[in-house]
Amino acid sequence: RSTDTEVADRAQWALIEAGPAVLPAVRNSLEASTGNLRQRLISVLAWQADNDSIALLQKIRESDTPDRELIDWAIGKIASIGP
């Protein structure tokens, strides 16, 4: 039996594996998202090493106190595996 978490996990990994074609949609969804969805989108951008998202992540970091640690990790991950 599937749970919502399992479905979300599969969707997240599908986005990570989908390649750069999905990144514009992920970035567009990021600002309007909250909570667990926002955290998953941040992770997708990080694991895809999306350099184009760094400015957006920095902007969101200023207003999103709960996710600052994750955003810092994501920016560091992008820098470490990026081109």
Side-chain angles (χ1 to χ4, degrees):
R1 177 170 136 90
S2 176
T3 66
D4 288 343
T5 301
E6 290 171 346
V7 172
D9 288 346
R10 286 194 302 270
Q12 179 179 347
W13 282 107
L15 288 171
I16 291 168
E17 295 296 321
V22 301
L23 293 175
V26 173
R27 286 190 300 268
N28 287 339
S29 300
L30 186 60
E31 280 194 277
S33 66
T34 59
N36 190 43
L37 175 58
R38 176 173 274 188
Q39 292 166 359
R40 289 179 179 277
L41 294 174
I42 291 168
S43 293
V44 169
L45 295 171
W47 286 114
Q48 283 223 31
D50 181 32
N51 283 311
D52 292 341
S53 70
I54 290 177
L56 175 59
L57 289 168
Q58 289 171 333
K59 176 184 171 191
I60 291 171
R61 185 187 183 283
E62 297 305 315
S63 62
D64 186 359
T65 304
D67 292 325
R68 280 189 181 158
E69 187 174 324
L70 177 63
I71 292 169
D72 289 342
W73 167 83
I75 292 170
K77 179 59 71 179
I78 291 167
S80 73
I81 64 176

Coordinates of all heavy atoms in Angstrom, one line a residue:
R1 N 0.9 -1.2 0.0 CA 0.0 0.0 0.0 C 0.9 1.2 0.0 O 1.8 1.4 0.8 CB -0.9 -0.1 1.2 CG -1.8 1.1 1.4 CD -2.8 0.8 2.5 NE -2.9 2.0 3.4 CZ -3.8 2.9 3.2 NH1 -4.6 2.9 2.2 NH2 -3.9 3.9 4.1
S2 N 0.6 2.2 -0.8 CA 1.3 3.4 -1.0 C 0.9 4.5 0.0 O -0.3 4.6 0.3 CB 1.2 3.9 -2.4 OG 1.9 5.1 -2.5
T3 N 1.8 5.3 0.5 CA 1.4 6.4 1.3 C 1.7 7.7 0.6 O 2.5 7.7 -0.4 CB 2.2 6.4 2.6 OG1 3.6 6.6 2.3 CG2 2.1 5.1 3.4
D4 N 1.2 8.8 1.0 CA 1.5 10.1 0.4 C 3.0 10.3 0.4 O 3.5 10.9 -0.5 CB 0.8 11.2 1.1 CG -0.7 11.2 0.8 OD1 -1.1 10.5 -0.1 OD2 -1.5 11.8 1.6
T5 N 3.7 9.9 1.5 CA 5.1 10.2 1.6 C 5.9 9.3 0.5 O 6.8 9.8 -0.1 CB 5.7 9.8 3.0 OG1 5.0 10.6 3.9 CG2 7.1 10.0 3.1
E6 N 5.4 8.1 0.3 CA 6.0 7.3 -0.7 C 5.9 7.9 -2.1 O 6.8 7.9 -2.9 CB 5.5 5.9 -0.7 CG 5.9 5.1 0.5 CD 5.2 3.8 0.7 OE1 4.2 3.6 0.0 OE2 5.6 3.0 1.5
V7 N 4.7 8.4 -2.4 CA 4.4 9.0 -3.7 C 5.2 10.3 -3.8 O 5.8 10.5 -4.9 CB 2.9 9.3 -3.8 CG1 2.6 10.2 -5.1 CG2 2.1 8.1 -3.8
A8 N 5.3 11.0 -2.8 CA 6.2 12.3 -2.8 C 7.6 11.9 -3.0 O 8.3 12.6 -3.8 CB 6.0 13.1 -1.6
D9 N 8.1 10.9 -2.4 CA 9.5 10.4 -2.6 C 9.8 10.0 -4.0 O 10.8 10.4 -4.6 CB 9.8 9.2 -1.7 CG 10.0 9.6 -0.2 OD1 10.1 10.8 0.1 OD2 10.0 8.7 0.6
R10 N 8.9 9.3 -4.6 CA 9.0 8.8 -6.0 C 9.0 10.0 -6.9 O 9.8 10.1 -7.9 CB 8.0 7.8 -6.4 CG 8.2 6.4 -5.7 CD 7.4 5.4 -6.4 NE 6.0 5.6 -6.3 CZ 5.2 5.2 -5.3 NH1 5.7 4.5 -4.3 NH2 3.9 5.4 -5.3
A11 N 8.1 11.0 -6.7 CA 8.0 12.2 -7.5 C 9.3 13.0 -7.4 O 9.8 13.5 -8.4 CB 6.8 13.0 -7.1
Q12 N 9.8 13.1 -6.2 CA 11.0 13.9 -6.0 C 12.2 13.3 -6.8 O 12.9 13.9 -7.5 CB 11.4 14.0 -4.6 CG 12.7 14.7 -4.3 CD 13.0 14.8 -2.8 OE1 12.1 14.5 -1.9 NE2 14.2 15.2 -2.5
W13 N 12.3 12.0 -6.7 CA 13.4 11.3 -7.4 C 13.2 11.3 -8.9 O 14.2 11.4 -9.7 CB 13.7 9.9 -6.8 CG 14.4 10.0 -5.6 CD1 14.0 9.8 -4.3 CD2 15.8 10.4 -5.4 NE1 14.9 10.0 -3.4 CE2 16.1 10.4 -4.0 CE3 16.8 10.8 -6.3 CZ2 17.3 10.8 -3.5 CZ3 18.0 11.1 -5.8 CH2 18.3 11.1 -4.4
A14 N 12.0 11.3 -9.3 CA 11.7 11.4 -10.8 C 12.2 12.7 -11.3 O 12.7 12.8 -12.4 CB 10.2 11.2 -11.1
L15 N 11.9 13.8 -10.5 CA 12.4 15.1 -10.9 C 13.9 15.2 -10.9 O 14.5 15.8 -11.8 CB 11.8 16.2 -10.0 CG 10.3 16.5 -10.2 CD1 9.8 17.4 -9.1 CD2 10.0 17.1 -11.6
I16 N 14.5 14.6 -9.9 CA 16.0 14.6 -9.9 C 16.6 13.9 -11.1 O 17.5 14.4 -11.7 CB 16.5 14.0 -8.6 CG1 16.1 14.9 -7.4 CG2 18.0 13.8 -8.6 CD1 16.3 14.3 -6.0
E17 N 16.0 12.8 -11.4 CA 16.5 12.0 -12.6 C 16.1 12.5 -13.9 O 16.6 12.1 -14.9 CB 16.0 10.5 -12.4 CG 16.6 9.8 -11.2 CD 18.1 9.7 -11.3 OE1 18.6 9.4 -12.4 OE2 18.8 9.8 -10.2
A18 N 15.1 13.4 -14.0 CA 14.6 13.9 -15.2 C 15.5 14.8 -16.0 O 15.3 15.0 -17.2 CB 13.3 14.7 -15.0
G19 N 16.5 15.4 -15.3 CA 17.5 16.2 -16.0 C 17.0 17.7 -16.1 O 16.0 18.0 -15.5
P20 N 17.8 18.5 -16.7 CA 17.6 19.9 -16.7 C 16.3 20.4 -17.3 O 16.0 21.6 -17.0 CB 18.9 20.5 -17.4 CG 19.4 19.3 -18.2 CD 19.0 18.1 -17.5
A21 N 15.7 19.7 -18.1 CA 14.4 20.1 -18.7 C 13.4 20.5 -17.7 O 12.5 21.4 -18.0 CB 13.9 19.1 -19.7
V22 N 13.4 19.9 -16.5 CA 12.4 20.2 -15.5 C 12.7 21.4 -14.6 O 11.9 21.9 -13.9 CB 12.1 19.0 -14.6 CG1 11.6 17.8 -15.5 CG2 13.3 18.6 -13.8
L23 N 14.0 21.8 -14.7 CA 14.4 22.9 -13.7 C 13.6 24.2 -13.8 O 13.3 24.8 -12.8 CB 15.9 23.1 -13.9 CG 16.7 21.8 -13.4 CD1 18.2 22.1 -13.7 CD2 16.5 21.5 -12.0
P24 N 13.3 24.7 -15.0 CA 12.5 25.9 -15.0 C 11.2 25.8 -14.3 O 10.8 26.7 -13.5 CB 12.3 26.2 -16.5 CG 13.5 25.6 -17.2 CD 13.7 24.3 -16.4
A25 N 10.5 24.7 -14.4 CA 9.3 24.5 -13.7 C 9.5 24.4 -12.2 O 8.7 24.9 -11.4 CB 8.5 23.3 -14.2
V26 N 10.6 23.7 -11.8 CA 10.9 23.6 -10.4 C 11.2 25.0 -9.8 O 10.6 25.3 -8.7 CB 12.0 22.6 -10.2 CG1 12.5 22.6 -8.7 CG2 11.7 21.2 -10.6
R27 N 12.0 25.7 -10.5 CA 12.3 27.1 -10.0 C 11.0 27.9 -9.9 O 10.8 28.7 -8.9 CB 13.3 27.8 -10.9 CG 14.7 27.2 -10.7 CD 15.8 28.1 -11.4 NE 15.6 28.2 -12.9 CZ 16.1 27.4 -13.8 NH1 16.9 26.4 -13.4 NH2 15.9 27.6 -15.0
N28 N 10.2 27.8 -10.9 CA 8.9 28.6 -10.9 C 8.0 28.2 -9.8 O 7.3 29.1 -9.2 CB 8.2 28.5 -12.3 CG 8.9 29.2 -13.4 OD1 9.6 30.1 -13.1 ND2 8.6 28.8 -14.6
S29 N 8.0 27.0 -9.4 CA 7.2 26.5 -8.3 C 7.7 26.8 -6.9 O 7.0 26.8 -5.9 CB 7.0 25.0 -8.4 OG 6.4 24.7 -9.6
L30 N 9.0 27.1 -6.8 CA 9.7 27.2 -5.5 C 9.1 28.4 -4.7 O 8.8 28.2 -3.5 CB 11.2 27.3 -5.7 CG 12.0 27.3 -4.5 CD1 11.8 26.1 -3.7 CD2 13.5 27.5 -4.8
E31 N 9.0 29.5 -5.2 CA 8.6 30.7 -4.4 C 7.2 30.5 -3.8 O 7.0 31.0 -2.7 CB 8.7 32.0 -5.2 CG 10.1 32.5 -5.3 CD 10.2 33.9 -5.8 OE1 10.2 34.1 -7.0 OE2 10.2 34.8 -4.9
A32 N 6.3 30.0 -4.6 CA 4.9 29.8 -4.1 C 4.7 28.6 -3.2 O 3.7 28.5 -2.5 CB 4.0 29.7 -5.3
S33 N 5.7 27.8 -3.1 CA 5.6 26.5 -2.3 C 5.9 26.8 -0.8 O 6.6 27.8 -0.5 CB 6.5 25.5 -2.8 OG 7.9 25.8 -2.7
T34 N 5.5 25.9 0.0 CA 5.8 26.0 1.5 C 6.0 24.6 2.0 O 5.7 23.6 1.4 CB 4.6 26.6 2.2 OG1 3.5 25.8 2.0 CG2 4.4 28.1 1.8
G35 N 6.6 24.6 3.2 CA 6.7 23.3 3.9 C 7.5 22.2 3.2 O 8.5 22.5 2.6
N36 N 6.9 21.0 3.3 CA 7.6 19.8 2.7 C 7.8 20.0 1.2 O 8.8 19.5 0.7 CB 6.7 18.6 3.1 CG 7.5 17.3 2.7 OD1 8.7 17.2 3.0 ND2 6.8 16.4 2.1
L37 N 6.8 20.5 0.5 CA 6.9 20.7 -0.9 C 8.1 21.6 -1.2 O 9.0 21.3 -2.1 CB 5.7 21.3 -1.6 CG 5.8 21.6 -3.1 CD1 6.2 20.3 -3.9 CD2 4.5 22.2 -3.6
R38 N 8.3 22.7 -0.5 CA 9.4 23.6 -0.8 C 10.7 22.9 -0.5 O 11.7 23.0 -1.2 CB 9.3 24.8 0.1 CG 10.5 25.7 0.0 CD 10.4 27.0 0.7 NE 9.7 28.0 -0.2 CZ 9.5 29.3 0.0 NH1 10.0 29.8 1.1 NH2 8.9 30.0 -0.9
Q39 N 10.8 22.1 0.6 CA 12.0 21.4 0.9 C 12.4 20.4 -0.2 O 13.5 20.3 -0.5 CB 11.8 20.7 2.3 CG 11.7 21.7 3.4 CD 11.2 21.1 4.7 OE1 10.9 19.9 4.8 NE2 11.1 21.9 5.7
R40 N 11.4 19.7 -0.7 CA 11.6 18.8 -1.8 C 12.1 19.5 -3.1 O 13.0 19.0 -3.7 CB 10.4 17.9 -2.1 CG 10.1 16.9 -1.0 CD 8.8 16.1 -1.3 NE 8.6 15.2 -0.2 CZ 9.1 14.0 -0.1 NH1 10.0 13.6 -1.0 NH2 8.8 13.1 0.9
L41 N 11.5 20.6 -3.4 CA 12.0 21.3 -4.6 C 13.4 21.9 -4.4 O 14.2 21.8 -5.4 CB 11.0 22.5 -4.8 CG 9.6 22.1 -5.2 CD1 8.7 23.4 -5.3 CD2 9.5 21.3 -6.5
I42 N 13.7 22.3 -3.2 CA 15.1 22.8 -2.9 C 16.1 21.6 -3.2 O 17.1 21.8 -3.8 CB 15.2 23.3 -1.5 CG1 14.4 24.7 -1.4 CG2 16.7 23.5 -1.1 CD1 14.2 25.2 0.0
S43 N 15.7 20.4 -2.7 CA 16.5 19.3 -2.8 C 16.7 18.9 -4.3 O 17.8 18.5 -4.7 CB 16.0 18.1 -2.1 OG 16.0 18.3 -0.7
V44 N 15.7 19.0 -5.1 CA 15.8 18.7 -6.5 C 16.8 19.6 -7.2 O 17.6 19.2 -7.9 CB 14.4 18.8 -7.2 CG1 14.5 18.8 -8.7 CG2 13.4 17.7 -6.7
L45 N 16.7 20.9 -6.9 CA 17.6 21.9 -7.5 C 19.0 21.6 -7.0 O 20.0 21.7 -7.9 CB 17.2 23.3 -7.0 CG 15.8 23.8 -7.5 CD1 15.5 25.1 -6.9 CD2 15.8 23.9 -9.1
A46 N 19.2 21.2 -5.8 CA 20.5 20.9 -5.3 C 21.1 19.7 -6.0 O 22.2 19.7 -6.5 CB 20.5 20.7 -3.8
W47 N 20.4 18.6 -6.0 CA 20.9 17.3 -6.6 C 21.1 17.4 -8.1 O 21.9 16.7 -8.7 CB 20.0 16.1 -6.2 CG 20.2 15.8 -4.8 CD1 19.2 15.8 -3.8 CD2 21.3 15.2 -4.2 NE1 19.8 15.4 -2.6 CE2 21.1 15.0 -2.8 CE3 22.6 14.9 -4.7 CZ2 22.0 14.5 -2.0 CZ3 23.5 14.4 -3.8 CH2 23.2 14.2 -2.4
Q48 N 20.4 18.3 -8.7 CA 20.6 18.6 -10.2 C 21.7 19.6 -10.4 O 22.0 19.9 -11.5 CB 19.3 19.0 -10.9 CG 18.4 17.9 -11.1 CD 17.8 17.9 -12.5 OE1 18.4 18.4 -13.4 NE2 16.6 17.5 -12.6
A49 N 22.2 20.2 -9.3 CA 23.3 21.2 -9.4 C 22.9 22.3 -10.3 O 23.7 22.7 -11.2 CB 24.6 20.5 -9.8
D50 N 21.7 22.9 -10.0 CA 21.2 23.9 -10.8 C 21.8 25.3 -10.5 O 21.3 26.0 -9.6 CB 19.7 24.0 -10.7 CG 19.0 25.0 -11.6 OD1 19.6 25.3 -12.6 OD2 18.0 25.6 -11.1
N51 N 22.8 25.7 -11.2 CA 23.5 27.0 -10.9 C 22.5 28.1 -11.1 O 22.6 29.2 -10.4 CB 24.7 27.2 -11.8 CG 25.9 26.4 -11.4 OD1 26.2 26.4 -10.2 ND2 26.5 25.6 -12.2
D52 N 21.5 28.0 -12.0 CA 20.6 29.1 -12.2 C 19.7 29.3 -11.1 O 19.0 30.4 -11.0 CB 19.8 28.8 -13.5 CG 20.6 28.8 -14.8 OD1 21.7 29.4 -14.8 OD2 20.2 28.3 -15.8
S53 N 19.6 28.5 -10.1 CA 18.7 28.6 -9.0 C 19.4 29.3 -7.8 O 18.7 29.7 -6.8 CB 18.2 27.3 -8.5 OG 19.2 26.5 -7.9
I54 N 20.7 29.5 -7.8 CA 21.4 30.1 -6.7 C 20.9 31.4 -6.2 O 20.6 31.6 -5.0 CB 22.9 30.1 -6.9 CG1 23.5 28.7 -6.9 CG2 23.6 30.9 -5.8 CD1 24.9 28.5 -7.2
A55 N 20.7 32.3 -7.1 CA 20.1 33.7 -6.8 C 18.7 33.5 -6.2 O 18.4 34.2 -5.2 CB 20.1 34.6 -8.0
L56 N 17.9 32.7 -6.7 CA 16.6 32.5 -6.2 C 16.6 31.9 -4.8 O 15.9 32.3 -3.8 CB 15.7 31.6 -7.1 CG 14.4 31.2 -6.6 CD1 13.5 32.4 -6.4 CD2 13.7 30.2 -7.6
L57 N 17.5 30.9 -4.6 CA 17.7 30.3 -3.3 C 18.2 31.3 -2.2 O 17.7 31.3 -1.1 CB 18.6 29.1 -3.3 CG 18.1 27.9 -4.0 CD1 19.2 26.9 -4.3 CD2 17.0 27.2 -3.3
Q58 N 19.1 32.2 -2.6 CA 19.6 33.2 -1.7 C 18.5 34.2 -1.4 O 18.3 34.6 -0.2 CB 20.7 33.9 -2.4 CG 22.0 33.1 -2.4 CD 23.1 33.7 -3.3 OE1 22.9 34.5 -4.2 NE2 24.3 33.3 -3.0
K59 N 17.6 34.5 -2.3 CA 16.5 35.4 -2.1 C 15.5 34.8 -1.1 O 15.1 35.4 -0.1 CB 15.8 35.7 -3.4 CG 14.5 36.6 -3.2 CD 13.8 36.8 -4.5 CE 12.5 37.4 -4.3 NZ 11.7 37.4 -5.6
I60 N 15.2 33.5 -1.3 CA 14.2 32.8 -0.4 C 14.8 32.6 1.0 O 14.1 32.7 2.0 CB 13.8 31.5 -1.1 CG1 13.0 31.7 -2.3 CG2 13.1 30.6 -0.1 CD1 12.7 30.5 -3.1
R61 N 16.1 32.4 1.0 CA 16.8 32.2 2.3 C 16.6 33.4 3.2 O 16.5 33.2 4.5 CB 18.3 32.0 2.1 CG 19.1 31.7 3.3 CD 20.6 31.7 3.1 NE 21.3 31.3 4.3 CZ 21.5 32.1 5.3 NH1 21.1 33.4 5.3 NH2 22.2 31.7 6.4
E62 N 16.5 34.6 2.7 CA 16.3 35.8 3.5 C 15.0 35.8 4.2 O 14.8 36.4 5.3 CB 16.5 37.1 2.7 CG 17.9 37.2 2.1 CD 19.0 37.1 3.2 OE1 18.9 37.8 4.2 OE2 20.0 36.4 3.0
S63 N 14.0 35.2 3.6 CA 12.6 35.3 4.1 C 12.1 34.0 4.7 O 11.1 33.9 5.4 CB 11.6 35.8 3.1 OG 11.6 34.9 2.0
D64 N 12.9 32.9 4.5 CA 12.4 31.6 4.9 C 13.3 31.0 6.0 O 14.2 30.2 5.8 CB 12.4 30.7 3.7 CG 11.8 29.3 4.0 OD1 11.4 29.0 5.2 OD2 11.8 28.5 3.1
T65 N 13.1 31.5 7.2 CA 13.9 31.1 8.3 C 13.9 29.6 8.6 O 15.0 29.0 8.8 CB 13.5 31.8 9.6 OG1 13.5 33.2 9.4 CG2 14.4 31.5 10.8
P66 N 12.8 28.9 8.5 CA 12.8 27.5 8.8 C 13.7 26.6 7.8 O 14.2 25.6 8.2 CB 11.4 27.0 8.7 CG 10.6 28.3 8.8 CD 11.4 29.4 8.3
D67 N 13.8 27.1 6.6 CA 14.6 26.3 5.6 C 16.0 26.8 5.4 O 16.6 26.4 4.4 CB 13.8 26.3 4.3 CG 12.5 25.5 4.4 OD1 12.5 24.5 5.2 OD2 11.5 25.8 3.8
R68 N 16.5 27.7 6.2 CA 17.8 28.3 5.9 C 18.9 27.3 5.9 O 19.8 27.3 5.0 CB 18.1 29.4 6.9 CG 17.5 30.7 6.6 CD 18.0 31.8 7.5 NE 17.3 33.0 7.1 CZ 17.1 34.1 7.9 NH1 17.7 34.1 9.1 NH2 16.5 35.1 7.5
E69 N 18.9 26.3 6.8 CA 19.9 25.3 6.9 C 19.9 24.5 5.6 O 20.9 24.1 5.0 CB 19.7 24.4 8.1 CG 20.8 23.4 8.3 CD 20.7 22.7 9.6 OE1 20.3 23.3 10.6 OE2 21.1 21.5 9.6
L70 N 18.7 24.1 5.2 CA 18.5 23.3 3.9 C 19.0 24.1 2.7 O 19.7 23.6 1.8 CB 17.1 22.9 3.7 CG 16.8 22.1 2.4 CD1 17.6 20.8 2.4 CD2 15.3 21.8 2.3
I71 N 18.6 25.4 2.7 CA 19.1 26.2 1.6 C 20.6 26.4 1.5 O 21.2 26.3 0.5 CB 18.3 27.6 1.6 CG1 16.8 27.4 1.3 CG2 19.0 28.6 0.6 CD1 16.0 28.6 1.6
D72 N 21.2 26.6 2.7 CA 22.6 26.6 2.8 C 23.3 25.3 2.2 O 24.2 25.4 1.5 CB 23.1 26.9 4.2 CG 22.8 28.3 4.7 OD1 22.6 29.2 3.8 OD2 22.8 28.6 5.9
W73 N 22.7 24.2 2.7 CA 23.2 22.9 2.2 C 23.0 22.8 0.6 O 24.0 22.4 -0.1 CB 22.4 21.8 2.8 CG 22.7 20.5 2.1 CD1 23.7 19.6 2.3 CD2 21.9 19.9 1.1 NE1 23.6 18.5 1.4 CE2 22.5 18.7 0.7 CE3 20.7 20.2 0.4 CZ2 22.0 17.9 -0.3 CZ3 20.2 19.4 -0.6 CH2 20.8 18.2 -0.9
A74 N 21.9 23.3 0.1 CA 21.6 23.2 -1.3 C 22.6 24.0 -2.1 O 23.2 23.6 -3.1 CB 20.2 23.6 -1.6
I75 N 22.9 25.2 -1.6 CA 23.8 26.1 -2.3 C 25.2 25.5 -2.3 O 25.9 25.5 -3.3 CB 23.8 27.5 -1.7 CG1 22.4 28.2 -2.0 CG2 25.0 28.4 -2.2 CD1 22.2 29.5 -1.3
G76 N 25.6 24.9 -1.2 CA 26.9 24.3 -1.1 C 27.0 23.0 -2.0 O 28.0 22.8 -2.6
K77 N 25.9 22.3 -2.1 CA 25.8 21.1 -2.9 C 25.9 21.5 -4.4 O 26.7 20.9 -5.2 CB 24.5 20.3 -2.7 CG 24.3 19.1 -3.5 CD 25.5 18.1 -3.3 CE 25.4 17.4 -2.0 NZ 26.5 16.4 -1.8
I78 N 25.2 22.5 -4.8 CA 25.3 23.0 -6.2 C 26.7 23.4 -6.5 O 27.3 23.0 -7.5 CB 24.3 24.2 -6.4 CG1 22.9 23.7 -6.3 CG2 24.6 24.9 -7.7 CD1 21.8 24.8 -6.2
A79 N 27.4 24.1 -5.6 CA 28.8 24.6 -5.8 C 29.7 23.4 -5.9 O 30.6 23.4 -6.7 CB 29.2 25.5 -4.7
S80 N 29.4 22.3 -5.1 CA 30.4 21.2 -5.1 C 30.2 20.2 -6.3 O 31.2 19.6 -6.7 CB 30.2 20.4 -3.8 OG 29.0 19.7 -3.7
I81 N 29.0 20.1 -6.8 CA 28.8 19.2 -8.0 C 28.5 19.9 -9.3 O 28.3 19.2 -10.3 CB 27.8 18.1 -7.7 CG1 26.4 18.7 -7.5 CG2 28.2 17.3 -6.5 CD1 25.3 17.7 -7.3
G82 N 28.5 21.2 -9.2 CA 28.2 22.0 -10.4 C 29.3 21.9 -11.5 O 30.3 21.3 -11.2
P83 N 29.0 22.5 -12.6 CA 30.0 22.4 -13.7 C 31.4 23.0 -13.4 O 31.5 23.8 -12.6 CB 29.4 23.1 -14.9 CG 28.2 23.8 -14.3 CD 27.9 23.3 -12.9

